[in-house]
Structure formats: C-alpha cells, structure tokens
Amino acid sequence: MTHIAMIDQINNLKSEIEALEASNIADVETLRIKYLSKKGTISVLFNDFRQLPPDQKREIGKPLNELKDFATEKINSLREALELADNVDDSIDLTRTPAVMPLGSRHPLSVVKNEIISIFSRLGFTIAEGPEVEDDWHVFSSLNFAADHPARDMQDTFFIKRNPEVLLRTHTSSVQSRVMEKTQPPIRIICPGRVYRNEAISARAHCFFHQVEALYVDKNVSFADLKQTLLYFAREMFGPETKIRLRPSYFPFTEPSAEMDISCNLCGGKGCSFCKHTGWVEILGCGMVDPNVLDACGIDSKVYSGYALGMGVERITNLKYQVKDLRMFSENDKRFLEEFRSAR
Ligand code: DAH
C-alpha cells in the first residue's frame, strides 16, 4: 500500500472508530478483535508501515500510533460504560435521602466532668489519676484520718476480701497523696474518678459515684488563692451572676476547712424548693492542705502550703440538669441518655 493510501485509511478508520457503538460486552470484544488483535485492521496497517522507506515512515508513524491509542481508549470506554450500567440495580432509588443513623450521646456525667476539667485546665491544672482499688495509706492514713475514724469502718467502706488494708477508694483525695509522694511542688492537679461507699441505694444515695478533686501546692499558697479559684469555677460553671459563700467545716486532711455554697441557680437566690428556700446550695468541700498531710507525703510543710477541694460530679450535674433520682445515672435508660444528645 502506498503511503498516500495509508493516510487515507488512517483517517477513514478514525471516523469509523469514533462512531462505534456496542450494546453488550460481547460486542465490545468483537470490536477489539476487529481493530486491535494481531490480525486486526490496525495491526495489519502496522505491518504495511514496516515496509515503507524511512522518509515515509516518519510521516506515517505519528498518525498511526495516535490511531492505535484512539482505538484502545474508545474500546475501553465502551467497556467501562457497559460495566457501570451492569452494576446499577434498578430496584434501588439512588436519589432517595438516606435513613438517619442514630448517633450516640455523651453521658451527662461525662459532659459535666469534661466541663469541670476544662475550667480548671484554663487555670493551669493538669489531670492526675489513681487506682480505684486502693490501700488504707492513700485513702485514709496519709490524709490524717484518725485510727478510729468512722470511714474506716465496714459500715462505710467496701473492703476487698475483708482485708482492712485493701479497699475501694471512698474519695479521689487518695490521688492527692499519690501525686505528692512522687512530685515536689509546684503541684497543680485535678483528679476526676469514680468512688465507692457502702450506702443503701436510693434516689439520693448510691454505692458508687464520681468526684473531681483539685490540689494546688507551692510556696505562699493562701486561702485567698483558694477563694479566687472557687469564685472563678462557680461563675464559669453556673454563670457570671453566681455568688459563693464559704461555711467553716471539718475534714481530716484540710485545716482550716470549708464547704462552699453557690447562690441557687434555679431561683437565682430568691428561695425555692430545690434550695429548701434558703437561696443557697452546697456544692463542694475545700480547705488548706493540713501540714500533717504534706509531711506524710514527703513535702516540707515549713516551705510549702497548698489548698485542696473536692466535689461530687452527680451533685453538679443535678444542679445543671435537675436530675431528681441518682439511680438514673447508672441505669442506662436510653430515653434518659438521649435527653443529653445536644450536650457536648
Ligand atoms: N474528700 C471529700 C469527700 O469525699 C471531699 C473534699 C473535701 C475534698 C475537702 C477536698 C477537700 O480536697 O479539701 O467528701
């Protein structure tokens, strides 16, 4: 074949291939064989091409290669279109809005715990954790509990295998002594966690609940630092109008000790059934770390001082969300949990 005839044939084949159609995969295969197999039209053209003198080869080579690529692409695209169409199941309506997947929600106690952590972390506190199965030293002795303190009694504390040395922690204050034993001041920690007490389960008491403890030990830490921290916490947690009041109290591990009330966030302090018409509700215990506790944990009480505070997460959650019955927190009733869907 002359090279002029070849150019004509290349052009004709190009228009022919461009117009190709196939209604099934077998048709596509027939077309592939017709044009691209060893004896196919394009391969035959390549055989003719090899006979041409070099100057003509230069002229024909490029369009011939382009034709081959064009045919390959065309046949592949015919195949892909048919395969795609094959996979579509007509019984499925792809335009329909999908069914909503039910998302879980965070547990209200986690929501509140995270908020407490976030407020204290803005003041530079970092999280510390300790074991729930504890020993007497960390829960009681190091924290200045007298040998005959009622909390050491079976009535109040769960002991493991009746061994008076191993018990379930009754408060997260145990993490204080664990951290102080290992770290020299400055210490600024917050300890969230679960605690256990031997109580009959009712709407108002449970055998386990959650606490967050905070501890700050450094040189020259004063009660004024504690008060400022408490006021900041109360306003961040319950709103900028919140007032606080401190009442003298007693804890073995703090001296002086206090309990903090906030102005009732339900009635704004006017008095309602929630605050028993006093306008105030109690939310936490606090005080200056007793020098005996610092010394027991290896921190020199002549050089350092500190404050500590501890609060119940259930109590704070009740105040924020008015949960009337403590048992709701552990029953995992979906209707209750779903009420907190929008809370983070
Ligand atoms: N541990 C106390 C309790 O379980 C709470 C508490 C009170 C913690 C005063 C403190 C504190 O750190 O200073 O009731």
Side-chain angles (χ1 to χ4, degrees), residues 260-317:
M260 181 174 91
D261 299 339
I262 57 163
S263 49
C264 178
N265 69 324
L266 292 189
C267 61
K270 284 190 213 70
C272 66
S273 61
F274 189 80
C275 59
K276 302 196 189 83
H277 302 280
T278 61
W280 297 94
V281 283
E282 185 195 320
I283 66 160
L284 55 78
C286 59
M288 300 306 292
V289 181
D290 194 301
N292 288 342
V293 174
L294 294 174
D295 292 331
C297 297
I299 289 176
D300 188 347
S301 62
K302 288 186 199 69
V303 182
Y304 296 106
S305 56
Y307 65 69
L309 58 104
M311 68 186 96
V313 181
E314 278 79 352
R315 174 118 190 106
I316 310 274
T317 310

Side-chain angles (χ1 to χ4, degrees), residues 30-225:
T30 314
L31 293 173
R32 190 192 65 80
I33 293 167
K34 178 169 175 203
Y35 294 102
L36 293 168
S37 68
K38 268 204 177 127
K39 290 189 181 139
T41 329
I42 293 175
S43 312
V44 172
L45 270 180
F46 270 97
N47 292 339
D48 296 343
F49 166 79
R50 270 175 222 119
Q51 317 297 324
L52 294 175
D55 60 327
Q56 292 181 4
K57 267 193 181 153
R58 234 170 283 128
E59 202 179 327
I60 302 290
K62 191 165 175 251
L64 187 56
N65 273 318
E66 280 172 358
L67 177 71
K68 188 181 170 196
D69 291 346
F70 182 73
T72 311
E73 262 171 42
K74 173 75 187 187
I75 284 170
N76 285 345
S77 75
L78 284 175
R79 184 183 292 115
E80 271 165 28
L82 284 166
E83 279 171 356
L84 212 68
D86 246 18
N87 285 336
V88 176
D89 178 350
D90 289 342
S91 65
I92 298 173
D93 179 359
L94 292 175
T95 62
R96 220 183 104 182
T97 2
V100 181
M101 290 237 292
L103 279 184
S105 52
R106 232 182 256 295
H107 193 281
L109 294 177
S110 301
V111 172
V112 170
K113 178 190 75 180
N114 289 346
E115 196 170 341
I116 298 171
I117 291 173
S118 146
I119 294 169
F120 277 93
S121 63
R122 276 175 253 148
L123 294 173
F125 286 76
T126 53
I127 294 179
E129 281 175 327
E132 292 180 11
V133 179
E134 260 293 6
D135 50 37
D136 176 277
W137 169 257
H138 291 101
V139 177
F140 298 130
S141 298
S142 64
L143 295 171
N144 205 31
F145 278 76
D148 58 354
H149 193 282
R152 294 173 179 253
D153 197 279
M154 289 267 179
Q155 304 302 313
D156 296 294
T157 301
F158 289 116
F159 291 87
I160 305 287
K161 292 192 179 157
R162 300 194 170 261
N163 177 349
E165 277 304 313
V166 187
L167 45 98
L168 295 181
R169 67 180 178 193
T170 56
H171 55 181
T172 45
S173 306
S174 55
V175 185
Q176 277 191 27
S177 31
R178 282 199 174 265
V179 171
M180 286 193 282
E181 278 172 351
K182 280 203 236 91
T183 337
Q184 282 299 304
I187 294 171
R188 201 187 272 138
I189 50 157
I190 182 159
C191 327
R194 180 174 285 182
V195 301
Y196 301 82
R197 285 185 199 175
N198 195 357
E199 303 251 10
I201 297 171
S202 72
R204 306 182 51 132
H206 212 299
C207 60
F208 62 80
F209 55 99
H210 301 79
Q211 290 187 331
V212 177
E213 178 91 12
L215 172 73
Y216 177 38
V217 185
D218 204 347
K219 285 181 181 146
N220 302 319
V221 176
S222 71
F223 203 93
D225 297 322

